[in-house]
Amino acid sequence: MTARVVVALLVLVTLWGSAFPMIKVGLGGLSAPHLTLARHLVASACFLPFLWLRGHRLLPARRDLPSLFVLGLLGFTIYHLALNVGELRVSAGASSLIIATAPAITAVLAYLLLSERMPPAAWIGSSVAFLGVVLIVVGDNAALGFNPYALFVLLAALATSLFAVLQRRMFSRYRAVEVTAFATWAGTVPMLLFVPGFAADVGGAGRDALLATVYIGVFPSAIAYSMFAFGLSRAPVTLVTAYLYLVPVISLFFSWLVLGEVPSLLMLAGGAVAIAGIVLVNLAKQRAARRLRRAAGRAGP
């Protein structure tokens, strides 16, 4: 975990934390399918000039198209559509709690698909971080109680976990930003099914909803997903996704700033516990890495 990776992950969680309340604003003027399509049309457009100006490739190899389509379907089509539909009836705080199960799901998938293990202390840290997220949501009275729409948010958590694990295989052939761009484009194609009525919906949306849509397309989508891919290309997937426990903490601030949702003392305490859990995960990973280096040194010539 170099300083560049840590900074990228902090930018990532800040931008993703801001996305939850901004999605609420966007849903105030657009339907969930049309908000999903508009967001990704904006994100897709952002990548074209960036890739061209930086001299990156603009098209993937034909053999990688099926893999990129799966990544796009999981990480963008399914994830964002399910999240937007879920947030129609689920509070921003509850949505962020359910999404916070993604690091644990990712850790299991990383072990099954990549043979990547988490040391016991890291599991403890992950549990502490999740407890912090639970405290945040318990402190949000509007988030209490079961809502069937929460199942859509859970589907989003599973989709993004698979997305995080499966894209690791692409970094041996593509830069992180290229993987993000190609997956974004691939994930946007199925969303074109929502074109009927799109123009009328956008035309009737208010200024705040449109500005929120542009914001989530540029920042939480194009920029943050590029930071996510950069982190995954440089660090273990379980460590990168552990930082996602910070998203609800950041979401508290933006929900207060954008929606006027003032956090309770319990929610603030939960944020502190979540941060402590992330610290424990990082320390556990660092200790495990040092043990591996010492063992490799003893086994060397």
Side-chain angles (χ1 to χ4, degrees), residues 44-57:
S44 295
C46 289
F47 284 114
L48 283 172
F50 180 84
L51 293 180
W52 181 71
L53 291 172
R54 295 299 297 268
H56 298 317
R57 67 180 77 187

Side-chain angles (χ1 to χ4, degrees), residues 221-242:
S221 284
I223 295 176
Y225 270 94
S226 297
M227 297 294 99
F228 189 45
F230 175 74
L232 289 172
S233 69
R234 302 295 181 91
V237 62
T238 50
L239 184 53
V240 172
T241 54

Side-chain angles (χ1 to χ4, degrees), residues 257-279:
L257 187 66
V258 177
L259 303 177
E261 297 176 355
V262 180
S264 65
L265 290 177
L266 184 59
M267 296 170 79
L268 294 176
V273 172
I275 293 172
I278 298 297
V279 173

